[in-house]
Every structure is written in C-alpha cells, then in structure tokens.
Amino acid sequence: QVQVIESGGGLVQPGGSLRLSCVASGRMFSMYPMGWFRQAPGKDREFVAVISDSGDRTDYGDSVKGRFTISRDNSKDTVFLQMNRLRPEDTAVYYCGAAYTASLLPKTTRGYAYWGQGTQVTVSS
C-alpha cells in the first residue's frame, strides 16, 4: 500500500520561508514524478510544482515561479518544496501527489494516483 505523508507546514509572516517535505512509501519512489498542489478554502486544487523521476526536470505554476523550488532525494523517498518570499495568497493546504506514469510531468490532479492528507500553510502577520 502506498503512503504519502506531507510535513513542514505552519504559520509564517509575509516575506518569510517554509520548507515542505513529502515522504512516499510502498512504491518505487524513484520511478515516478512527484507534484505539489494547494487548495485554499472555496477554491479548486491548484498546481504548484512537479519534478521528474530523476529530478532533472521541473515545472511550476505561474503564481509561484521564481519563489518556490521543488527538489527530491530518491535515496530517502522524499520530495521537498522550498517556499520563499511567501505572500498571504499562498495560504492553503498543500498536498503532495505521486504521478501515475513516469513519462509525463502532470499539471492537473488527474495525473496523480496517490495523495497525502495535506499540510496547512498560513501566511499572515
């Protein structure tokens, strides 16, 4: 059984930084892309970032480009999301997903087979 567990959320002031982590077990972690999405109250789940199985390719949502960085450590079955220059509009529950196939970098939720339960990020003074 595949388990995806996010951590690292919390309360941060505008302009601050947070680093989210996601551990995925029960599957060959290094064979599949991993992605981050977020969902604010009353809104759809929004694409944030995705990284290829080997980590050599990444893609980002327009609202986070230049501020967030996705990375992975396949030796630890872990993917990270470094979030800098945070804004109040970044406030959301952040979800980590494991993709269905290795050949694409999916930017919609349909491309993901497994999800974690999410970690809350609140940006407020």
Side-chain angles (χ1 to χ4, degrees), residues 75-93:
S75 69
K76 297 181 180 178
D77 293 347
T78 304
V79 61
F80 304 98
L81 185 68
Q82 177 67 44
M83 305 186 295
N84 298 329
R85 305 201 309 274
L86 283 160
R87 305 167 180 167
E89 52 265 38
D90 294 318
T91 295
V93 177

Side-chain angles (χ1 to χ4, degrees), residues 56-115:
D56 62 339
R57 293 177 294 141
T58 59
D59 200 357
Y60 296 91
D62 289 341
S63 60
V64 306
K65 279 181 183 175
R67 300 187 298 125
F68 290 11
T69 302
I70 188 171
S71 61
R72 66 191 294 163
D73 183 346
N74 286 343
S75 69
K76 297 181 180 178
D77 293 347
T78 304
V79 61
F80 304 98
L81 185 68
Q82 177 67 44
M83 305 186 295
N84 298 329
R85 305 201 309 274
L86 283 160
R87 305 167 180 167
E89 52 265 38
D90 294 318
T91 295
V93 177
Y94 282 70
Y95 295 92
C96 177
Y100 277 111
T101 66
S103 58
L104 303 173
L105 295 186
K107 297 167 69 171
T108 68
T109 57
R110 290 191 303 273
Y112 292 83
Y114 303 99
W115 294 95

